[in-house]
Amino acid sequence: MAPSAATSEQPLPRMAHVDLLRGVLVVFVVLLHANLRIPFGPPALADMLGPRLGGILFRSGYYAVIVFFVVSGYLITSASIRRWGDLSRVRPLAFYRLRAARILPSLLLLLAVLAALHLAGSAWFALDTSKVPLWRALLAALGLHLNWLEAQVGYLPGPWGVLWSLSVEEAFYLFFPLLCVLAGSERRLAWLLVAPIMLGPLARGGVFSGNELWQDHSYLSGMDGIAFGCLAALIAHRVPRMPSRSTQRLVLLAGLALAVLVFGFRKEVFQWGLTRFGLQVSLLELGVALLLVATHWRPWAWCAGPAAAPLRWFGRHSYEVYLTHMLVVIPGAWLFQQTGASPAWIPLWFVLVVAASGLLGQWLAQGFSEPCNRALRRRGSVPAASSPRPIRSTRS
């Protein structure tokens, strides 16, 4: 039976395969930042992993953020369909309130901590005030343009720098409900989403700017991934009848092939010229979108099983882990170096840093951001749509 559109006080069902994917992605981000400070070792173990597997594990953070954009577009579109029944019925003010309730508590707390550490003169977290004063960084983080600021002044300290992707996502959240209403129909909205998909490669290829950092972190450079995710959600929810098994397999295999190509064969992708205009990013975004569609049609039962539970746990708290993991990685690297430990202990250090990042994210989520989210949502509710279009449940 198709569910009715939900109110804001009715939590939408979690999707195990999406939680699993988000868990893998946030672990990749943590591993990248840990590896930048203490390269994985000892050398014999790194050589045994080889450059291909080592690249996937320890140098996939940027691609992981790109995939997060696709997942974000997919989840927001799916949630809006389930909440309002049809995207043309999205209520912008209610949408903004729901997004603010989820995003702002953790972000404001992190910014307060970073500001306090900066004022205390922390060598690890303080801003270089010759490049950017504290008030300017705070304004950029809250004003949806930290990515632009960083492109102007150079990389900010790690805990600040990770916020560039939030500027892209929050810009999407600002315009998405307005586009839904102005388009007037989901078909017209789908055509509008083609524009960022076409412009994204041009932005990454330097057509609009010669600034290399801006090419990677600009709004258009990430917005095509979000658009792919939105289209994936529309296809997944609006296909009038379940496709045949052969079609499902074809979509799944195509998505897997594109994701494996970009994550696992980077040298070959470069040699084939696919990195021109960042086309490898577009292929990855398309691949993930296809995977999300395929797993919506036929969820993988093993994603909800016990073997995948640790990564689902990371995925449930991926936002909080992403925001705060540098507060673990940087002191953790310093502590490891101070002990003078043998390189043989580096793998254990990686395990501890990943685990501690997950625990900090869980503590922040359960002790602060989730209670704040619930409290802010209770201050008002989003009425259900009067006659939502039928949709299939996405409950895993």
Side-chain angles (χ1 to χ4, degrees), residues 127 131-141 145-146 148-149 160:
L127 295 161
K131 293 182 178 180
V132 55
L134 175 61
W135 71 266
R136 187 68 186 84
L138 292 172
L139 178 63
H145 65 280
L146 190 134
W148 180 87
L149 176 65
W160 292 88

Side-chain angles (χ1 to χ4, degrees), residues 119-204:
L119 294 173
S122 169
W124 295 335
F125 305 111
L127 295 161
D128 182 351
T129 52
S130 66
K131 293 182 178 180
V132 55
L134 175 61
W135 71 266
R136 187 68 186 84
L138 292 172
L139 178 63
L142 295 173
L144 319 187
H145 65 280
L146 190 134
N147 55 335
W148 180 87
L149 176 65
E150 198 169 45
Q152 304 309 306
V153 304
Y155 286 107
L156 300 180
W160 292 88
V162 298
L163 300 178
W164 76 266
S165 65
L166 264 70
S167 293
V168 177
E169 285 201 44
E170 289 166 354
F172 159 67
Y173 297 147
L174 179 63
F175 289 106
F176 176 73
L178 301 178
L179 286 176
C180 289
V181 174
L182 293 174
S185 75
E186 292 178 348
R187 185 182 297 273
R188 284 194 287 271
L189 176 64
W191 281 110
L192 289 175
L193 291 171
V194 174
I197 290 175
M198 300 298 293
L199 293 173
L202 300 179
R204 289 189 293 272

Side-chain angles (χ1 to χ4, degrees), residues 25-217:
L25 298 175
V26 79
V27 168
F28 276 161
V29 171
V30 177
L31 288 175
L32 168 68
H33 290 143
N35 190 66
L36 288 174
R37 283 150 183 84
I38 298 183
F40 185 79
L45 180 56
D47 291 342
M48 186 172 66
L49 287 178
R52 196 179 304 280
L53 183 55
I56 294 172
L57 290 175
F58 305 114
R59 290 184 291 277
S60 294
Y62 173 71
Y63 287 143
V65 173
I66 293 297
V67 176
F68 264 125
F69 288 148
V70 182
V71 174
S72 180
Y74 176 81
L75 287 176
I76 291 302
T77 305
S78 295
S80 297
I81 290 173
R82 287 184 285 169
R83 181 166 284 118
W84 283 285
D86 190 290
L87 292 181
S88 64
R89 299 192 184 104
V90 170
R91 301 188 177 184
L93 292 180
F95 180 94
Y96 296 145
R97 183 180 58 78
L98 293 171
R99 286 290 82 207
R102 177 67 185 100
I103 293 171
L104 285 181
S106 295
L107 177 59
L108 291 173
L109 178 60
L110 174 66
L111 292 176
V113 170
L114 293 179
L117 291 171
H118 170 84
L119 294 173
S122 169
W124 295 335
F125 305 111
L127 295 161
D128 182 351
T129 52
S130 66
K131 293 182 178 180
V132 55
L134 175 61
W135 71 266
R136 187 68 186 84
L138 292 172
L139 178 63
L142 295 173
L144 319 187
H145 65 280
L146 190 134
N147 55 335
W148 180 87
L149 176 65
E150 198 169 45
Q152 304 309 306
V153 304
Y155 286 107
L156 300 180
W160 292 88
V162 298
L163 300 178
W164 76 266
S165 65
L166 264 70
S167 293
V168 177
E169 285 201 44
E170 289 166 354
F172 159 67
Y173 297 147
L174 179 63
F175 289 106
F176 176 73
L178 301 178
L179 286 176
C180 289
V181 174
L182 293 174
S185 75
E186 292 178 348
R187 185 182 297 273
R188 284 194 287 271
L189 176 64
W191 281 110
L192 289 175
L193 291 171
V194 174
I197 290 175
M198 300 298 293
L199 293 173
L202 300 179
R204 289 189 293 272
V207 171
F208 305 128
S209 173
N211 185 319
E212 292 185 3
L213 186 53
W214 184 242
Q215 290 170 16
D216 285 338
H217 291 181

Side-chain angles (χ1 to χ4, degrees), residues 225-346:
I226 296 175
F228 269 118
C230 295
L231 288 175
L234 282 170
I235 293 171
H237 285 283
R238 297 314 190 199
V239 169
R241 58 194 180 112
M242 185 71 70
S244 65
R245 286 286 186 89
S246 59
T247 300
Q248 293 178 34
R249 292 195 189 98
L250 180 62
V251 173
L252 176 63
L253 290 175
L256 283 173
L258 290 174
V260 170
L261 173 69
V262 177
F263 270 103
F265 295 89
R266 300 174 196 185
K267 182 178 179 181
E268 291 82 357
V269 164
F270 178 80
Q271 292 173 341
W272 296 337
L274 294 178
T275 55
R276 187 179 183 185
F277 294 108
L279 290 179
Q280 85 282 13
V281 173
S282 297
L283 292 176
L284 175 61
E285 293 165 345
L286 173 60
V288 174
L290 292 174
L291 284 175
L292 290 170
V293 171
T295 50
H296 176 92
W297 287 338
R298 192 173 184 83
W300 292 340
W302 64 269
C303 292
L311 286 173
R312 289 201 313 273
W313 175 74
F314 273 98
R316 286 195 300 273
H317 311 119
S318 58
Y319 173 59
E320 288 80 9
V321 174
Y322 181 80
L323 285 184
T324 62
H325 71 278
M326 295 301 290
L327 301 177
V328 174
V329 171
I330 294 176
W334 176 84
L335 184 61
F336 183 85
Q337 292 164 345
Q338 291 301 304
T339 62
S342 164
W345 292 100
I346 291 179

